Amino acid sequence: GPGRRLLLSTPIFYANGPPHIGHLYSALLADALHRYRGLCGAGPGRLSTGTDEHGLKIQQAAAAAGTSPPELCQRVSGLFRQALTQAAVSFTDFIRTSEPHHQRAVRHFWGALQDGGALYKGCYEGWYCTPEECFLPESQLAERRDAQGRPCKVSLETGHQVHWTKEENYMFRLSAFRDPLRDWLRDNPRAIAPDPFYQRVLRWLEEDLPDLSISRERSRLQWGIPVPSDPTQTIYVWVDALVNYLSVVGYPETHGEWWPAAHHVVGKDILKFHAVYWPALLMAVGLAPPERILVHSHWTVRGQKMSKSLGNVIDPAACVGQYTLDGFRYFLLRQGVPERDCDYYDEKVVKLLNSELADALGGLLNRSTALSINPSNTYPCFSESCFPKVLDYREAKGLGRASAEDYELVASVASLPLQVASYFEGFQIYKALECIALCVRQTNGFFQRHKPWKLDRRDPAEQLWLDTIIHVTLECLRVYGTLLQPVIPHTADRLLSRLAVEPEERGLSNLTFLPRYDGKPCPFEGRELGPDTGVLFHRLEKPRQRQHQIETKKV
């Protein structure tokens, strides 16, 4: 509701390597939700992101690169901030877990766990996976051979090698929270979306929930926050990282102004940490779990998992250079389906952007604002006699110039804002974009069907119908431009500026379509259009042509 605060968050990204499109996808989903909420005129909102900078992986990556952990983190954190800024992610907070205010929050959180009796010291042994920074049960392991052909155990999900580890650690009484976690999820069926992930967490809670080792021996892991009362132990990197969602809103002093109104956008690989461990840790310190956990799947490249060894990691900066900022954003948000992995390849990006942004949307704007069709360069008048309001468009024959398909278009576009709202609310942004693309196609059909370029302006009756066709088309474009702002902000801005829609007229809370059809005044009617902003979205070359040009240049 109005005035309600909300924290939207991306995961904080692990600072052991540069950003790839998987990271950007998380951030763009959160950014689109944040921008959408702002356009609805909702209450104060924050979008937090940042880098997770402690742990064994970073200690090892720094050693391998011949640098220190702080220097590695400083550099990689800078790369993430740069990539997110370049992708127009409108974050309000960028947190680094190496910052003093975050470390103070983690120490306080640890103290609250200890004071609540949720911790005890115990001996822990098991298969530890360094890349995932966690112990794995036998059921999640497989037998493989390493590079030297020796038998070894690996994580079933990721293929990373595991090592048997035995040490004395602080344990968190996770087993005590199985019932409270189940109650929380049963009482809040929208807490985890989409539904397949909600069901997955419920299944996990049917299984054993062993206590969790939440510290590591300091002798093995120096790069992390020491346990406040025990300098021989380092706080487990995941506990440290999860507390970022509290430290960003002022924990332990002022977090109450925001918490628990938080929506975490996370990848499915870190679902258990966010949907089981994190809510349990919060309950243990007397805080409520986050309101919602929004989960997405992964990107593959031509059907293969992205990996450094395959050399197929997609660099976001190269994509922005190749497809433009808005093109790249549109592709990821239009093609990314949270419930399942999505495949990335150049030809697919080019085909989608040329078809939907360059031809359908850009072509429609270009044709409907061309001086040959609209010589007065205005938002022309709507004629009720040409397009009369009818209760049942199947009975509209003979009343005006509009056909049954035209009435279908008006009904589709009129219902679009509510459809888009429900898809954003349900974390299905791709479906919102699918609906918009469908309506854009319908509008092109409308324009093509009536061939306004063939109508004679000198005939008063033809002039009325010509102006009505353009008015309806511009109204459709205004709705599309307004609804696309969270996804392609720059392109939407150019489209709306061309239609002379003022900044204060671009909100979603008062978006009405074709008021003249309902006998109400239209504030845009008769208004002079904005300056010509040129081609809305330039067609992209096919990857093969581009490769040929590169090779020709080399020759």
Side-chain angles (χ1 to χ4, degrees):
R4 181 179 174 274
R5 291 169 178 254
L6 182 70
L7 168 71
L8 268 155
S9 67
T10 78
I12 51 171
F13 303 112
Y14 209 47
N16 66 328
H20 57 65
I21 62 165
H23 302 121
L24 256 287
Y25 181 52
S26 285
L28 289 177
L29 286 165
D31 178 61
L33 294 173
H34 178 64
R35 285 175 181 269
Y36 185 85
R37 194 174 175 274
L39 288 164
C40 289
R46 287 167 84 162
L47 173 56
S48 73
T49 188
T51 43
D52 175 4
E53 303 186 8
H54 292 134
L56 200 51
K57 260 197 296 191
I58 283 169
Q59 193 172 293
Q60 290 173 348
T67 184
S68 68
E71 284 169 335
L72 176 73
C73 292
Q74 178 74 26
R75 185 178 66 77
V76 176
S77 184
L79 293 176
F80 272 95
R81 187 186 271 272
Q82 188 184 352
L84 296 173
T85 304
Q86 190 184 22
V89 176
S90 54
F91 58 86
T92 57
D93 299 86
F94 188 97
I95 190 164
R96 298 182 57 194
T97 58
S98 55
E99 291 167 342
H101 80 97
H102 170 74
Q103 300 198 19
R104 189 172 68 88
V106 173
R107 287 193 292 270
H108 190 279
F109 192 84
W110 182 278
L113 287 171
Q114 210 150 27
D115 295 346
L119 305 183
Y120 64 94
K121 210 164 187 185
C123 192
Y124 195 88
E125 59 181 319
W127 294 103
Y128 191 72
C129 179
T130 301
E132 293 165 59
E133 299 276 13
C134 64
F135 283 97
L136 292 174
E138 200 75 45
S139 60
Q140 289 177 26
L141 301 176
E143 296 279 350
R144 293 279 186 279
R145 291 198 174 273
D146 66 15
Q148 282 74 43
R150 294 174 302 219
C152 67
K153 285 189 186 288
V154 300
S155 160
L156 258 180
E157 193 173 333
T158 64
H160 293 135
Q161 197 169 339
V162 295
H163 301 279
W164 187 260
T165 306
K166 181 178 180 178
E167 57 183 45
E168 192 177 41
N169 300 138
Y170 284 92
M171 305 293 290
F172 169 60
R173 298 182 197 277
L174 182 62
S175 53
F177 291 91
R178 190 170 150 194
D179 288 339
L181 286 168
R182 285 206 290 215
D183 293 343
W184 161 60
L185 286 178
R186 296 228 165 95
D187 294 344
N188 298 279
R190 290 175 67 256
I192 299 167
D195 188 63
F197 296 113
Y198 173 76
Q199 299 300 336
R200 186 181 296 184
V201 177
L202 282 178
R203 283 197 301 274
W204 283 337
L205 294 174
E206 295 303 317
E207 299 164 9
D208 273 351
L209 203 58
D211 289 350
L212 186 65
S213 162
I214 64 163
S215 71
R216 299 287 177 264
E217 283 179 358
R218 192 91 186 145
S219 58
R220 201 160 67 86
L221 174 61
Q222 300 84 45
W223 182 240
I225 303 170
V227 168
S229 55
D230 185 348
T232 69
Q233 295 276 314
T234 300
I235 295 173
Y236 177 39
V237 64
W238 267 104
V239 175
D240 167 2
L242 288 164
V243 174
N244 99 83
Y245 302 125
L246 286 176
S247 60
V248 82
V249 288
Y251 181 83
E253 290 87 17
T254 56
H255 60 284
E257 293 173 22
W258 293 85
W259 198 265
H263 292 184
H264 300 326
V265 174
V266 302
K268 65 180 181 181
D269 54 320
I270 51 175
L271 177 58
K272 188 173 272 185
F273 297 98
H274 283 85
V276 178
Y277 303 162
W278 178 226
L281 288 162
L282 286 162
M283 290 173 183
V285 300
L287 291 172
E291 236 172 56
R292 296 190 81 190
I293 299 162
L294 306 170
V295 192
H296 65 79
S297 298
H298 295 157
W299 282 89
T300 56
V301 178
R302 297 189 185 275
Q304 288 186 302
K305 190 179 170 182
M306 262 191 285
S307 79
K308 287 178 201 162
S309 57
L310 286 173
N312 65 350
V313 177
I314 303 292
D315 171 20
C319 293
V320 169
Q322 219 166 318
Y323 308 125
T324 75
L325 163 59
D326 278 359
F328 180 51
R329 286 175 63 104
Y330 186 81
F331 173 77
L332 288 183
L333 293 172
R334 170 80 167 88
Q335 290 289 308
V337 178
E339 296 93 317
R340 59 176 185 267
D341 288 352
C342 303
D343 199 32
Y344 174 96
Y345 51 93
D346 273 344
E347 295 84 351
K348 191 181 189 175
V349 187
V350 170
K351 191 176 175 185
L352 177 85
L353 299 182
N354 282 345
S355 159
E356 294 189 359
L357 292 188
D359 298 347
L361 189 67
L364 187 63
L365 177 69
N366 193 33
R367 295 200 292 168
S368 57
T369 56
L371 285 174
S372 55
I373 291 227
N374 185 359
S376 63
N377 195 38
T378 58
Y379 215 100
C381 294
F382 177 88
S383 161
E384 284 158 9
S385 62
C386 291
F387 211 132
K389 185 171 172 111
V390 291
L391 291 172
D392 185 347
Y393 57 75
R394 283 163 297 198
E395 292 166 17
K397 285 195 179 86
L399 288 174
R401 303 277 301 257
S403 68
E405 287 165 297
D406 303 339
Y407 284 100
E408 278 173 24
L409 167 70
V410 167
S412 294
V413 182
S415 66
L416 190 61
L418 272 178
Q419 256 187 314
V420 167
S422 85
Y423 285 135
F424 265 80
E425 177 62 25
F427 195 52
Q428 294 184 305
I429 296 170
Y430 75 100
K431 280 194 177 172
L433 295 178
E434 209 171 274
C435 287
I436 295 169
L438 201 63
C439 283
V440 173
R441 268 207 299 281
Q442 266 182 290
T443 314
N444 271 299
F446 164 76
F447 200 81
Q448 196 62 32
R449 194 161 50 246
H450 296 301
K451 300 184 170 52
W453 57 91
K454 288 192 171 177
L455 296 174
D456 185 359
R457 228 169 230 293
R458 290 163 303 187
D459 177 334
E462 297 277 271
Q463 161 114 35
L464 280 178
W465 179 225
L466 174 58
D467 284 351
T468 302
I469 294 167
I470 296 170
H471 181 98
V472 171
T473 305
L474 297 186
E475 274 292 276
C476 290
L477 280 164
R478 181 175 65 83
V479 169
Y480 308 148
T482 306
L483 293 173
L484 285 168
Q485 289 174 102
V487 175
I488 46 172
H490 299 92
T491 305
D493 173 54
R494 288 175 62 212
L495 191 159
L496 294 171
S497 297
R498 180 70 175 110
L499 301 183
V501 181
E502 298 295 339
E504 64 277 6
E505 297 171 317
R506 298 179 181 190
L508 289 166
S509 48
N510 51 4
L511 178 60
T512 50
F513 168 64
L514 205 59
R516 291 284 277 105
Y517 178 72
D518 292 307
K520 294 171 188 160
C522 170
F524 303 98
E525 201 170 59
R527 190 184 288 190
E528 189 176 344
L529 294 180
D532 186 352
T533 46
V535 175
L536 186 67
F537 192 90
H538 287 274
R539 278 185 67 81
L540 299 166
E541 293 172 348
K542 288 185 178 148
R544 264 195 303 271
Q545 288 174 301
R546 192 167 50 245
Q547 191 57 41
H548 175 68
Q549 284 178 343
I550 292 164
E551 283 162 9
T552 310
K553 275 179 194 167
K554 281 181 191 167
V555 172

